Amino acid sequence: MKKTKLLKYIILGAAAALVATFLLPKKEIRKGHPRDYAEIVADGTLRAATEYNSISFYVDGDTLSGFHYELIEAFARDHGLKVAITPEMSFNERLEGLADGKFDVIAYGILVTSELKDSLLLTSPIVLNRQVLVQRKTASPDDSLFIKSQLDLAGKTLNVVKGSPSILRIRNLGNEIGDTIYIKEIEKYGSEQLIALVAHGDIDYAVCDESIARAAADSLPQIDINTAISFTQFYSWGVSKQSPALLDSLNTWLEKFKKGKEYETIYKRYY
């Protein structure tokens, strides 16, 4: 995606996500129970939730793009299915939608944690990523706001997307440094919107995936993303625990697809 367009997506991301919802052909979905692969095949449409950002899924004019968008489209194509994609900014809403059958799969990079393994089924790893701190750069060595190391996070408030798996990591990091790190969960915005709030001085710190932060940094040179919050970890898609056959189908396909040239092309386009 061109650098000159990235800031527009960051600022208008939430509104564009709503527009994208209406651009995508899909049936009216009533709340019910999670579906497994046989029901999805019978219906002919796979319901996927993702986040609207410049890595996962975005609208550029009349074109739909994004790493996870292209992957889930390829899976559906290879299985004779259509995809109904809903860009949902709230991580909690994605989980709730999965639990009540609104979505069949969360086609978004989910940080693999033991806590999440208790509530949903995670696919085999799709990408490696890590969580980083987003803050504004400073020219002064005496700037008390600038975080130079994880130890400086003591007593600071970090903004995260509501329900983000990074919350558990931040709490563990607080234990590691022997002090409290405060967490503020933001419900209405996704990662790129939090980065924009940091860049423009509305908040001081945010935590998000490094891949999203690096994409944003290309057009927001005032942000610093060099402080790691986590080590590099696996990120996967998620399905309901009531959808084991769907999980098997995704894993079988991913194992084969990731070895091919199409996956390599898609990966290089966004990472």
Side-chain angles (χ1 to χ4, degrees), residues 1-2 5 8-9 52 58-65:
M1 182 173 59
K2 295 181 179 180
K5 294 183 178 180
K8 175 182 70 175
Y9 291 129
Y52 189 95
Y58 61 91
V59 180
D60 186 4
D62 59 356
T63 302
L64 301 178
S65 302

Side-chain angles (χ1 to χ4, degrees), residues 111 127-133 150 166 169 207-214 225-235 271:
L111 178 63
V127 292
L128 284 169
N129 209 338
R130 65 176 181 171
Q131 300 284 306
V132 297
L133 178 74
Q150 292 180 347
S166 64
R169 171 55 193 157
V207 174
C208 69
D209 293 347
E210 183 177 32
S211 58
I212 296 175
R214 289 199 178 281
I225 60 171
N226 293 316
T227 300
I229 296 298
S230 73
F231 50 84
T232 301
Q233 296 170 278
F234 289 122
Y235 283 65
Y271 288 95

Side-chain angles (χ1 to χ4, degrees), residues 99-120:
D100 64 27
K102 182 179 179 181
F103 309 128
D104 301 312
V105 56
I106 298 176
Y108 177 75
I110 301 173
L111 178 63
V112 177
T113 66
S114 56
E115 186 178 53
L116 282 176
K117 286 181 179 179
D118 291 336
S119 59
L120 74 166

